């Protein structure tokens, strides 16, 4: 049994209120002060979050890791001791820092001077030596704080890096874009296929080479985070000494401690504990300045356990984020001018939540305990958040009780009993509807869904809300019922095709995209042909296609034989890609003459005189950026009325004039808004024949 403890471990072992208190304490600047005292003192073992010889498993249970019962109990005692210590010491140092920073509940230890100035203002009685402690502490907190982050994998990983940076900023770290300037290099990883991991190993070797001429203590600390960290754990610390820190997807709050441990003691540190509750609901991610497109994670983990997939093992059990915190974050983004929000989750449309959890978030908001929220406190307050939460579900659900579990898409089953758990809770349809109502000028997308979770109430919201994009990702994985059974996907080819037909009936202009795996265990030539025929029948607008890559520990690796030879896998994959391209090209050509409401993303990489933008259906469009434009009026461009220079984040009406398989080329017809375009055309896209009629 390891002597290690961790924030996450503690988080999952304490009662909800104890956990909140402990989380609030660990977030507050003052709470870190006593940790210094302990780090510098005689008993670091019980209080650091660090281990090099951990015995944590990657499993998860309702109350923390399997086999960690004793550890949890002792963690609770440690946490209790720790908390008492924090309160005693913080009581003295607390006022000092609060006075110094002047934020009254702000989070940053801004500088040594400020802290020590505060210290003098509120002298600490009967605590000799604390000033020296503070000096050491501040010194350690104001150096070696440049962090370089590299992110691989899915959009969830991109958003996780933003969350992680928020936690680090809150603890005095700063992001650098120059790897040579970094004291800490973090790589956020993906483990979904072997290839993804191979790339990470290469990068780790490169990171280590950066420190070579320097003494060990001067080399940057290298941390491996995310799914690969969760999968490989100690292997990463041991293999060629390439990493100093290993942290799983539920351990980002612990990063400052993990880094401190390595920097202060030279030992390696790891936290790969998975939590059944961590959603980072109270952490506002650090997004690039002026961004007009943002990710908002609404749930984490996956319970589906498709036989080929490592995700349930690296990201843990499914859990949904509190409703109020999501509505609040989207409102903040709207106030900041963001024009497109993508709701994220491993199984995004199986979202369900009890609103009574929202009180926890609202209290945190009231107490100023939202991480990374400093710059937006002025914009929003608790009343807005409460109003948002109480907002009635105004449309979309066609008079149905939104909290009633409406089942799965016809012909689809869950591999676990999620339906029963969802009854009486706020589910995805309602969440989507509420998010869409926050700002009618903000586009809403979501990914990545499971096709089983497209009951009619979800489809109705997508149809009825003009700002919910008419573009559905429906990962089929295979077109063969036999393969789908071996994959344990919970549906047949026929059920999938019926769902596609139904989606097209409910939302006629809906673009459909997919994921496909070629060469899965036991796939015959006929199974493969079924997949090619599925591609031809559906005619996907986009597809992400992969050769099967066996992942150790998955059900397929344990029970099925990876028996399709590599060259056969690659040939089949090439045929699937070819089928996709043929259909996609046809769809692109059908677009010529159509008019889309396009959100400008930025200048084209290839040509400064062109913009790139995205249609509602998520297609890339390239168009001229050298002119000014008037308001779009539903017809051809009116040159005489030109007055608007365009910028990223503007909506513009674009008529498609040409295409390649992946890109549409077009001309601007004028500046518009999402609502104005909708008012003119009744949708976000006008077919060529309808536009010609309108223009006459
Ligand atoms: N091999 C190949 N592709 C995989 N995916 C998931 N696991 C594997 C694997 N072991 C694909 C699926 C999934 C997408 C994110 O990655 O298509 O939808
Ligand atoms: Fe993996 Fe299946 Fe979960 Fe998607 S639904 S993350 S493919 S286990």
């Amino acid at each position: 049994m390891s002597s290690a403890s961790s924030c996450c471990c503690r988080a999952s072992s304490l009662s909800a209120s104890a956990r909140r208190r402990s989380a609030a304490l660990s977030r507050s600047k003052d709470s870190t002060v006593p940790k210094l005292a302990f780090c510098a003192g005689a008993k670091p073992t019980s209080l650091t979050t660090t281990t090099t010889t951990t015995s944590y498993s990657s499993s998860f249970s309702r109350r923390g890791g399997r086999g960690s019962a004793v550890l949890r109990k002792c963690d609770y005692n440690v946490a209790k001791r720790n908390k008492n210590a924090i309160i005693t010491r913080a009581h003295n140092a607390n006022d000092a820092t609060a006075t110094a920073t002047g934020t009254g509940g702000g989070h940053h230890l801004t500088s040594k001077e400020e802290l020590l100035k505060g210290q003098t203002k509120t002298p600490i009685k009967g605590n000799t030596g604390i000033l020296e402690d503070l000096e050491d502490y501040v010194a350690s907190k104001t150096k070696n704080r440049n962090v370089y982050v590299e992110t691989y994998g899915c959009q969830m990983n991109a958003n996780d890096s933003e969350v992680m940076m928020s936690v680090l900023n809150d603890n005095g770290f700063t992001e650098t874009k120059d790897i040579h300037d970094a004291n800490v290099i973090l790589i956020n990883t993906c483990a979904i296929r072997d290839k993804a991991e191979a790339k990470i190993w290469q990068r780790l070797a490169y990171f280590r080479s950066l420190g070579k001429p320097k003494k060990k203590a001067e080399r940057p600390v290298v941390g491996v985070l995310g799914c690969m960290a969760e999968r490989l754990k100690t292997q990463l610390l041991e293999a060629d000494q390439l990493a100093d820190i290993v942290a799983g997807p539920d351990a980002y709050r612990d990063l400052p401690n993990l880094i401190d441990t390595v920097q202060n003691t030279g030992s390696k540190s790891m936290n790969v504990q998975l939590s059944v509750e961590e959603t980072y609901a109270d952490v506002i991610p650090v997004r690039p300045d002026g961004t007009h497109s943002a990710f908002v994670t609404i749930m984490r983990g996956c319970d589906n356990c498709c036989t080929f997939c490592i995700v349930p093992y690296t990201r843990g059990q499914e859990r949904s984020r509190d409703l109020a915190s999501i509505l609040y974050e989207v409102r903040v983004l709207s106030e900041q001018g963001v024009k497109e929000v993508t709701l994220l989750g491993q199984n995004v449309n199986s979202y369900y939540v009890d609103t009574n959890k929202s009180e926890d978030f609202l209290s945190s908001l009231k107490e100023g305990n939202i991480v990374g929220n400093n710059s937006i406190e002025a914009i929003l307050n608790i009343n807005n958040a409460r109003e948002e939460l109480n907002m009635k579900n105004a449309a979309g659900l066609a008079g149905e009780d939104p909290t009633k579990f409406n089942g799965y898409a016809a012909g689809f089953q869950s591999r676990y009993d999620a339906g029963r758990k969802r009854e009486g809770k706020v589910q995805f349809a309602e969440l989507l509807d509420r998010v869409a109502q926050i700002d009618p000028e903000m586009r809403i997308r979501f990914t990545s869904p499971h096709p089983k979770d497209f009951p009619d109430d979800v489809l109705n919201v997508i149809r009825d809300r003009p700002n919910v994009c008419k573009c559905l990702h429906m990962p089929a994985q295979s077109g063969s019922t036999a393969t789908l059974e071996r994959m344990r996907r919970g549906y047949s080819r026929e059920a999938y095709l019926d769902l596609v037909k139904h989606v097209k009936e409910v939302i006629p202009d809906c673009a459909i995209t997919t994921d496909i795996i070629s060469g899965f265990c036991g796939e015959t030539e006929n199974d493969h042909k079924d997949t090619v025929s599925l591609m031809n029948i559906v005619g996907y607008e986009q597809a992400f296609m992969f050769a099967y890559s066996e992942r150790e520990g998955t059900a397929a690796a344990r029970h099925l034989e990876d028996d399709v030879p590599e060259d056969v896998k690659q040939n089949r994959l090439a045929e699937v890609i070819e089928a996709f391209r043929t259909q996609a090209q046809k769809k692109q050509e059908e677009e010529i003459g159509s008019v889309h409401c396009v959100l400008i993303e930025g200048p084209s990489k290839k040509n400064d005189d062109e913009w790139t933008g995205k249609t509602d259906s998520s297609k890339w469009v390239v168009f001229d950026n050298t002119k000014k434009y008037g308001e779009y009026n539903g017809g051809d461009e009116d040159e005489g009325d030109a007055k608007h220079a365009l910028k990223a984040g503007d909506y513009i009406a674009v008529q498609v004039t040409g295409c390649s398989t992946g890109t549409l080329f077009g001309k601007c017809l004028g500046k518009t808004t999402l609502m104005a375009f909708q008012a003119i055309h009744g949708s976000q896209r006008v077919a060529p024949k309808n536009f010609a009629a309108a223009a006459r």
Side-chain angles (χ1 to χ4, degrees):
M1 178 67 59
S2 157
S3 65
S5 109
S6 77
C7 280
C8 279
C9 179
R10 232 182 293 142
S12 49
S13 60
L14 298 181
S15 69
S17 58
R19 207 180 46 253
R20 264 194 323 275
R21 280 197 305 276
S22 142
L25 284 167
S26 75
R27 277 196 306 273
S28 96
K29 57 183 174 273
D30 313 307
S31 68
T32 52
V33 172
K35 279 185 204 145
L36 162 82
F38 283 108
C39 281
K43 282 204 176 102
T45 45
S46 59
L47 288 161
T48 60
T49 58
T50 311
T51 178
T52 47
T53 52
T54 183
S55 63
Y56 289 148
S57 74
S58 68
S59 62
F60 41 86
S61 70
R62 180 121 322 264
R63 301 196 142 269
R66 192 197 300 154
S68 60
V70 180
L71 200 142
R72 284 198 306 273
K73 194 155 180 256
C74 90
D75 277 352
Y76 180 70
N77 292 334
V78 166
K80 253 167 65 181
R81 274 207 313 275
N82 196 2
K83 203 166 62 176
N84 289 341
I86 287 166
I87 291 163
T88 323
R89 294 289 292 268
H91 190 68
N92 286 335
N94 195 359
D95 305 334
T97 24
T99 319
T101 57
T103 57
H107 305 281
H108 296 277
L109 275 172
T110 46
S111 72
K112 181 174 175 174
E113 288 74 18
E114 279 183 335
L115 200 97
L116 295 176
K117 191 172 75 191
Q119 170 71 47
T120 0
K121 265 190 197 160
T122 315
I124 295 162
K125 291 181 194 122
N127 242 336
T128 51
I130 199 167
L131 196 60
E132 288 74 11
D133 277 357
L134 276 171
E135 274 183 338
D136 287 351
Y137 172 70
V138 175
S140 80
K141 291 285 168 199
T142 48
K143 66 173 193 189
N144 298 336
R145 307 260 109 179
N146 282 351
V147 184
Y148 172 85
V149 182
E150 232 172 67
T151 306
Y152 292 85
C154 60
Q155 289 152 322
M156 284 285 285
N157 266 14
N159 189 233
D160 275 6
S161 291
E162 295 172 343
V163 164
M164 167 202 312
M165 220 38 244
S166 184
V167 170
L168 289 171
N169 279 350
D170 212 54
N171 283 271
F173 291 84
T174 317
E175 186 170 6
T176 172
K177 296 287 175 200
D178 179 359
I179 196 166
H180 301 283
D181 190 32
N183 314 110
V184 181
I185 299 174
L186 300 177
I187 183 161
N188 196 359
T189 61
C190 172
I192 202 133
R193 282 169 292 276
D194 204 35
K195 255 192 193 162
E197 289 195 359
K199 175 83 187 163
I200 308 291
W201 286 113
Q202 275 174 13
R203 292 302 287 164
L204 286 175
Y206 167 68
F207 297 157
R208 261 306 175 248
S209 75
L210 288 173
K212 274 277 149 60
K214 297 183 182 160
K215 286 188 218 147
K216 192 175 171 212
E218 292 167 9
R219 287 183 206 157
V221 169
V222 175
V224 182
L225 317 175
C227 289
M228 192 174 158
E230 194 63 52
R231 195 177 89 76
L232 296 176
K233 305 185 183 69
T234 45
Q235 274 185 53
L236 284 158
L237 298 179
E238 285 153 10
D240 303 324
Q241 304 287 310
L242 289 179
D244 305 300
I245 295 172
V246 170
D250 290 342
Y252 300 142
R253 287 183 203 274
D254 203 17
L255 270 178
N257 293 326
L258 296 172
I259 296 171
D260 276 357
T261 302
V262 177
Q263 288 186 334
N264 296 341
T265 69
S267 65
K268 301 195 176 225
S269 62
M270 175 160 100
N271 183 345
V272 287
Q273 188 74 4
L274 287 172
S275 158
V276 291
E277 293 184 332
E278 179 62 273
T279 60
Y280 302 106
D282 57 342
V283 181
I284 301 278
V286 174
R287 301 189 166 94
D289 278 348
T291 186
H292 56 270
S293 182
F295 298 125
V296 173
T297 297
I298 64 159
M299 58 83 67
R300 303 175 75 85
C302 179
D303 287 348
N304 284 326
C305 290
C306 303
T307 53
F308 53 82
C309 187
I310 192 74
V311 166
Y313 305 90
T314 58
R315 288 204 166 248
Q317 247 181 36
E318 187 176 306
R319 66 220 100 122
S320 294
R321 177 178 164 184
D322 158 61
L323 178 67
S325 75
I326 298 171
L327 299 177
Y328 174 80
E329 188 173 340
V330 175
R331 162 69 63 199
V332 168
L333 291 169
S334 155
E335 302 281 344
Q336 290 172 338
V338 166
K339 288 288 171 46
E340 181 180 77
V341 160
T342 305
L343 305 177
L344 295 180
Q346 262 84 37
N347 204 174
V348 69
N349 50 346
S350 92
Y351 178 90
Y352 71 91
V353 79
D354 239 327
T355 45
N356 59 16
K357 272 192 182 169
S358 288
E359 283 308 318
D360 293 357
F361 173 77
L362 295 173
S363 310
S364 286
L365 193 61
K366 199 169 168 188
E367 287 158 19
N369 280 334
I370 304 299
V371 178
N373 195 27
N374 296 344
S375 60
I376 50 175
E377 265 163 1
I379 303 175
L380 290 170
N381 59 37
I382 177 116
N383 294 331
N384 296 87
R386 193 176 289 283
E387 224 166 78
E388 214 94 76
L389 184 69
N390 293 336
M391 182 174 77
K392 282 273 166 299
N393 175 274
L397 300 180
E400 292 169 31
D401 173 3
T403 64
K404 186 168 164 288
F405 178 62
N406 287 308
Y408 303 111
F412 286 70
Q413 307 162 3
S414 168
R415 306 301 310 184
Y416 62 103
D417 193 12
R420 191 173 48 78
K421 289 193 277 179
R422 287 192 224 172
E423 184 77 51
K425 310 278 166 68
V426 170
Q427 294 163 49
F428 186 67
E430 185 178 359
L431 172 79
L432 186 63
D433 198 32
R434 286 180 173 218
V435 166
Q437 288 176 71
I438 289 176
D439 180 351
E441 284 301 320
M442 183 191 255
R443 276 182 174 171
I444 311 299
R445 301 183 188 277
F446 57 90
T447 199
S448 182
H450 190 289
K452 76 177 186 319
D453 291 313
F454 282 124
D456 279 354
D457 57 352
V458 173
L459 299 181
N460 293 345
V461 174
I462 299 169
R463 177 196 60 203
D464 294 342
R465 292 281 171 207
N467 57 335
V468 177
C469 293
K470 281 40 177 175
C471 177
L472 289 196
H473 190 53
M474 293 175 61
Q477 311 297 0
S478 170
S480 144
T481 298
T483 309
L484 288 167
E485 269 169 18
R486 279 194 302 281
M487 289 176 162
R488 248 200 257 147
R489 288 288 289 176
Y491 53 89
S492 63
R493 169 191 173 89
E494 290 69 33
Y496 182 89
L497 283 171
D498 283 351
L499 177 63
V500 169
K501 193 164 157 255
H502 183 57
V503 166
K504 296 261 180 191
E505 281 161 9
V506 178
I507 316 164
D509 235 1
C510 193
I512 298 185
T513 65
T514 200
D515 291 348
I516 298 286
I517 298 177
S518 277
F520 184 62
C521 310
E523 187 188 75
T524 63
E525 198 53 35
N526 277 344
D527 292 331
H528 162 64
K529 283 191 180 135
D530 279 349
T531 301
V532 173
S533 97
L534 183 92
M535 306 301 285
N536 288 330
I537 294 170
V538 179
Y540 294 104
E541 312 271 342
Q542 267 179 50
F544 303 89
M545 296 156 286
F546 314 98
Y548 172 60
S549 162
E550 186 177 78
R551 309 314 287 144
E552 197 187 336
T554 56
R558 282 182 280 123
H559 304 299
L560 301 171
E561 201 184 334
D562 182 10
D563 53 0
V564 179
E566 194 53 39
D567 57 332
V568 177
K569 274 185 196 168
Q570 294 302 333
N571 287 341
R572 288 182 185 170
L573 177 62
E575 283 175 31
V576 169
I577 293 173
E578 188 49 39
F580 159 70
R581 280 176 173 264
T582 308
Q583 297 305 322
Q585 181 64 29
K586 278 191 204 157
K587 296 217 162 250
Q588 291 285 86
E589 282 163 12
E590 283 165 18
E591 291 288 4
I592 294 174
S594 64
V595 177
H596 288 264
C597 182
V598 169
L599 178 63
I600 302 182
E601 297 275 329
S604 147
K605 284 193 185 111
K606 289 190 187 149
N607 183 345
D608 280 351
D609 291 342
E610 286 176 340
W611 289 113
T612 57
K614 259 196 187 165
T615 65
D616 177 272
S617 52
S618 210
K619 289 191 174 185
W620 284 103
V621 192
V622 174
F623 50 95
D624 179 81
N625 83 352
T626 56
K627 290 194 284 177
K628 289 187 173 182
Y629 294 90
E631 307 291 338
Y632 175 62
N633 60 14
D636 273 332
E637 178 203 353
D638 178 0
E639 296 263 3
D641 193 27
K643 54 182 180 241
H644 299 289
L646 301 179
K647 59 181 185 326
D650 284 345
Y651 288 111
I652 184 107
V654 177
Q655 182 164 37
V656 178
T657 53
C659 67
S660 67
T661 315
T663 310
L664 299 173
F665 306 103
K667 66 168 185 171
C668 290
L669 301 181
K671 199 168 178 297
T672 187
T673 65
L674 222 151
M675 285 169 80
F677 194 95
Q678 182 80 19
I680 296 171
H681 296 296
S683 76
Q684 297 293 299
R685 172 188 181 270
V686 199
K689 61 179 186 338
N690 297 341
F691 179 71
R696 264 200 300 274

